[in-house]
Amino acid sequence: MIQQTEREKIELVKIQGSLPQASLPSGEQAYSMKVLTGWRKTLVRFGIRKHLFFFAMKNYGSVSRSIDILHQLYQFKKKILGTDAKSNTKLVKINNKYYHTIFAPGYPSQAFDDYILGEFHRISPLPAKGNRLSFLFLAITKKCPLRCEHCYEWDNLNQQEALDLNDLKNIVHKFQEEGVAQFHLGGGEPMTRIKDLLSLANATDRRSEIYVLTSGFNFTQANAKALKDAGITGITVSIDHFDAEKHNAFRGFQNSFADAVKAIQHAQEQHLVVSVSICVTKNFISWNNLLKYAAFIKSLRVPFLQILEPKAVGHYKDKDVVLNGEQLRLLEKFYQTLNFDPAYKDYPVIIYTGYHQRRVGCLLGGNRILYIDSDGNINACPFCHTKSLNIKQALIQNIDVQNEVRKIGCKPYGLEGTVPIV
């Protein structure tokens, strides 16, 4: 763990005191969210480990084999976190379920058990087929009123839809039958297709979790309630700066910042799991900006903050946007400090995929995750535009989608091994 300097601690106090507190739901509609500490976290973790042991016993029928599988699972977790970080990650209680990330279902739930079954199956194959994919990113629309600087779907925006509602239902059904525990529905802006989004959610078996990836556009109080009633688990809201004007400029839409904050509030009123995502650009990255941004997200009572590195795809194609080694090291310091330094125990959990990929390889690319774009093309991930085949073709011909994508793999990170910061 990287310790704070005294100067950084003083700067943190200044930052906390300079940010206004957001207006949040109260009373009967209060958002039930708490970062667990002390004996409460210890007790919950013990309960989860106990559940994992008996779940392993149920599937393997052997004490020694179950213990070995759980040990390997724990070692993989340590490897993901990095040798320079503690394994005692933050744990968040949201509406009587427990989360350490938005990319693992809440415990207890059927989705959590399906997710764990997939991890078991990777370590020691089960006689009955376990889920090979953990979750699916699915772009359900090309439509979007924004003109975001970093948009990875830029070339497809606001063209005729390629996937109708029946296509979307067939896609979700296929992967749900294969045991996918989570669906992350994006676009474009998925809230431009709210009626189809609600129909898709209502047609999805509740054993899987569903997240909506949104800018906040059209995320009204009424739509938030409708999404909750349809079975949506949570939302990820994109906020790319703590300064409203700079965020709006980045998004190419005057009301984007206000829409994003309101979306968070409406989601909290409906007790949805809420996370925020930021694309950390060269112009933004500094220690002071990162801390100020985290303090702002904390003031919104958002438990998860996802960091995305800019990639030269979509609207950033052929542009000099990739972060250098010094900038990546600063992001890694930020990840380690906010997740493991006790001074930040009540700050959001930092989710930083690049950090993990440099330690264990890519978890996407057909490994645990796939991305289907708004044309129906199957890609390794939203930031690796490696189109292998179209989902409509795959459904008709019953093609092993995961295997086809794995043939291409992930060039920047690979499927295993470490990738140093240069």
Side-chain angles (χ1 to χ4, degrees):
M1 177 180 68
I2 298 178
Q3 295 289 341
Q4 283 182 296
T5 66
E6 288 302 315
R7 179 183 176 185
E8 288 170 351
K9 292 178 182 179
I10 293 171
E11 287 301 314
L12 174 61
V13 173
K14 290 181 180 178
I15 287 169
Q16 289 172 326
S18 67
L19 287 169
Q21 294 297 305
S23 175
L24 298 168
S26 60
E28 292 182 358
Q29 291 186 320
Y31 182 45
S32 176
M33 185 279 291
K34 182 176 179 60
V35 179
L36 299 184
T37 58
W39 65 268
R40 290 182 177 84
K41 182 169 73 171
T42 301
L43 187 62
V44 172
R45 287 196 180 279
F46 175 78
I48 294 173
R49 287 169 182 156
K50 180 180 176 181
H51 174 79
L52 291 176
F53 173 74
F54 284 108
F55 191 50
M57 282 289 295
K58 177 183 177 181
N59 284 280
Y60 293 102
S62 165
V63 172
S64 59
R65 192 176 182 189
S66 296
I67 291 173
D68 179 62
I69 288 167
L70 292 178
H71 174 72
Q72 291 188 57
L73 194 62
Y74 176 72
Q75 291 302 314
F76 180 69
K77 176 186 174 183
K78 285 181 64 177
K79 190 176 180 181
I80 286 178
L81 293 172
T83 56
D84 51 355
K86 292 183 178 179
S87 61
N88 192 21
T89 53
K90 291 178 179 177
L91 192 63
V92 183
K93 182 180 181 182
I94 305 175
N95 307 321
N96 296 318
K97 288 185 181 179
Y98 302 93
Y99 301 81
H100 69 275
T101 177
I102 58 168
F103 295 119
Y107 167 84
S109 68
Q110 180 63 50
F112 177 85
D113 286 350
D114 286 345
Y115 169 79
I116 293 298
L117 189 66
E119 294 302 314
F120 284 173
H121 187 66
R122 291 181 184 94
I123 296 170
S124 180
L126 290 157
K129 181 181 177 182
N131 63 313
R132 297 181 301 158
L133 286 174
S134 298
F135 45 93
L136 179 74
F137 284 105
L138 175 59
I140 70 167
T141 182
K142 298 172 180 285
K143 301 298 187 255
C144 185
L146 282 66
R147 307 294 288 175
C148 301
E149 180 181 305
H150 68 321
C151 180
Y152 52 76
E153 279 277 341
W154 185 261
D155 295 333
N156 294 332
L157 287 187
N158 299 315
Q159 299 179 22
Q160 184 177 349
E161 299 288 15
L163 301 173
D164 62 25
L165 180 57
N166 285 331
D167 292 329
L168 296 173
K169 288 180 178 179
N170 289 336
I171 293 167
V172 170
H173 177 74
K174 168 187 169 58
F175 286 102
Q176 191 164 48
E177 287 302 303
E178 293 183 359
V180 169
Q182 283 188 334
F183 295 90
H184 293 250
L185 307 180
E189 170 52 66
M191 295 301 293
T192 61
R193 202 171 174 179
I194 182 63
K195 290 183 180 179
D196 285 349
L197 178 55
L198 292 172
S199 295
L200 181 60
N202 277 311
T204 303
D205 192 305
R206 296 294 177 93
R207 68 179 181 268
S208 299
E209 290 187 345
I210 304 174
Y211 283 81
V212 175
L213 314 181
T214 179
S215 66
F217 176 82
N218 198 33
F219 206 94
T220 63
Q221 192 172 42
N223 284 340
K225 184 180 186 308
L227 288 169
K228 175 66 174 180
D229 293 343
I232 295 293
T233 305
I235 66 170
T236 296
V237 183
S238 296
I239 301 181
D240 292 291
H241 210 289
F242 49 80
D243 182 285
E245 291 185 4
K246 291 180 179 179
H247 169 85
N248 291 341
F250 187 89
R251 291 275 157 179
F253 193 73
Q254 185 175 1
N255 297 321
S256 182
F257 188 85
D259 285 348
V261 173
K262 287 178 182 177
I264 290 169
Q265 294 167 355
H266 294 326
Q268 290 171 340
E269 289 170 0
Q270 297 302 321
H271 299 267
L272 295 170
V273 178
V274 181
S275 65
V276 163
S277 177
I278 177 174
C279 179
V280 182
T281 64
K282 289 183 175 182
N283 291 333
F284 177 90
I285 189 168
S286 72
W287 186 249
N288 185 68
N289 274 355
L290 290 169
L291 278 186
K292 195 166 186 177
Y293 183 88
F296 168 64
I297 300 306
K298 175 178 177 287
S299 76
L300 297 175
R301 294 191 64 214
V302 172
F304 300 105
L305 167 53
Q306 180 182 200
I307 295 175
L308 300 176
E309 297 173 17
K311 302 293 183 181
V313 297
H315 201 204
Y316 272 165
K317 185 178 180 180
D318 299 326
K319 295 182 180 179
D320 182 21
V321 297
V322 177
L323 303 180
N324 62 37
E326 181 180 355
Q327 291 164 334
L328 292 176
R329 280 187 286 273
L330 183 61
L331 284 182
E332 294 208 348
K333 176 186 176 182
F334 178 68
Y335 165 87
Q336 294 168 13
T337 302
L338 265 74
N339 280 346
F340 305 114
D341 191 321
Y344 298 88
K345 64 182 180 181
D346 57 348
Y347 269 65
V349 176
I350 306 301
I351 301 169
Y352 181 16
T353 304
Y355 177 93
H356 309 309
Q357 288 172 312
R358 280 183 277 273
R359 287 157 175 80
V360 299
C362 187
L363 299 178
L364 290 88
N367 183 350
R368 287 168 171 80
I369 306 161
L370 287 176
Y371 171 60
I372 299 177
D373 67 24
S374 59
D375 276 325
N377 295 317
I378 302 168
N379 297 263
C381 82
F383 301 104
C384 291
H385 290 189
T386 50
K387 302 173 185 178
S388 52
L389 70 159
N390 192 277
I391 187 61
K392 291 184 180 182
Q393 174 192 359
L395 290 173
I396 293 171
Q397 300 180 12
N398 197 28
I399 296 172
D400 187 335
V401 171
Q402 184 184 21
N403 186 56
E404 290 299 313
V405 175
R406 284 177 68 92
K407 289 178 182 178
I408 300 174
C410 175
K411 294 180 181 179
Y413 297 106
L415 289 177
E416 59 183 20
T418 58
V419 179
I421 296 176
V422 294

